[in-house]
Amino acid sequence: MGIARLVLVGLAVLVVVALIVFGVLSLIGSLGSDAETVPSPAPSVTASSVAASPSPSATSERVPTVLVECLRERCPTVFLKVTGGDVLLDREMDRGEQFQSFDPKVDVVLADSAAVRVQVNGAVRSPGKAGERQEFTVSRD
């Protein structure tokens, strides 16, 4: 009976270690995905986008499929998701905070469409009424 207990204790230790490793890997993965989608106060040009640009002007930028900017002190939940894919943003935003996506097709849900300014393929979308919830899908031109 002593060996059976040792085997059970050993198995329990392995399960606990596996859960800890899984938790750490999940945490690292979620932090890594947030780092890629951290909104910046102003859009910036990366070296790869300038090099891939066919125009002779080095100052031209890629136009995002959708750009959302918070106009109020605190904007209610903004939700952006690649159609049929990953969630890009699902949180409240602060004044001046921007988020942009270059994905070909993005689903957008705004809890208060008057609190944010939305640009679709570089064109400003008309805001809704204060407190109005809007849902729409934007596609790359």
Side-chain angles (χ1 to χ4, degrees):
M1 195 167 221
I3 293 176
R5 285 185 181 170
L6 287 175
V7 170
L8 284 176
V9 168
L11 195 58
V13 169
L14 284 176
V15 168
V16 169
V17 169
L19 287 173
I20 291 172
V21 169
F22 179 74
V24 169
L25 291 176
S26 296
L27 180 63
I28 290 171
S30 78
L31 292 176
S33 66
D34 285 347
E36 295 171 3
T37 61
V38 170
S40 63
S44 62
V45 178
T46 61
S48 62
S49 67
V50 172
S53 175
S55 71
S57 171
T59 60
S60 66
E61 296 183 29
R62 282 192 325 174
V63 177
T65 307
V66 64
L67 181 135
V68 179
E69 179 181 6
C70 179
L71 302 176
R72 296 191 182 153
E73 198 60 40
R74 191 86 170 143
C75 295
T77 303
V78 176
F79 179 82
L80 283 92
K81 177 177 121 23
V82 176
T83 302
D86 295 335
V87 172
L88 303 172
L89 180 72
D90 184 14
R91 63 180 175 83
E92 295 179 348
M93 296 174 72
D94 295 323
R95 181 186 299 266
E97 189 175 354
Q98 295 181 348
F99 186 86
Q100 60 187 359
S101 172
F102 294 91
D103 293 294
K105 198 169 186 182
V106 180
D107 295 327
V108 180
V109 179
L110 307 171
D112 183 356
S113 60
V116 295
R117 183 180 69 189
V118 179
Q119 290 183 16
V120 177
N121 297 312
V124 177
R125 179 182 166 95
S126 60
K129 298 175 186 171
E132 179 184 2
R133 183 175 192 266
Q134 287 188 352
E135 297 180 32
F136 53 93
T137 301
V138 295
S139 299
R140 182 57 107 183
D141 284 339

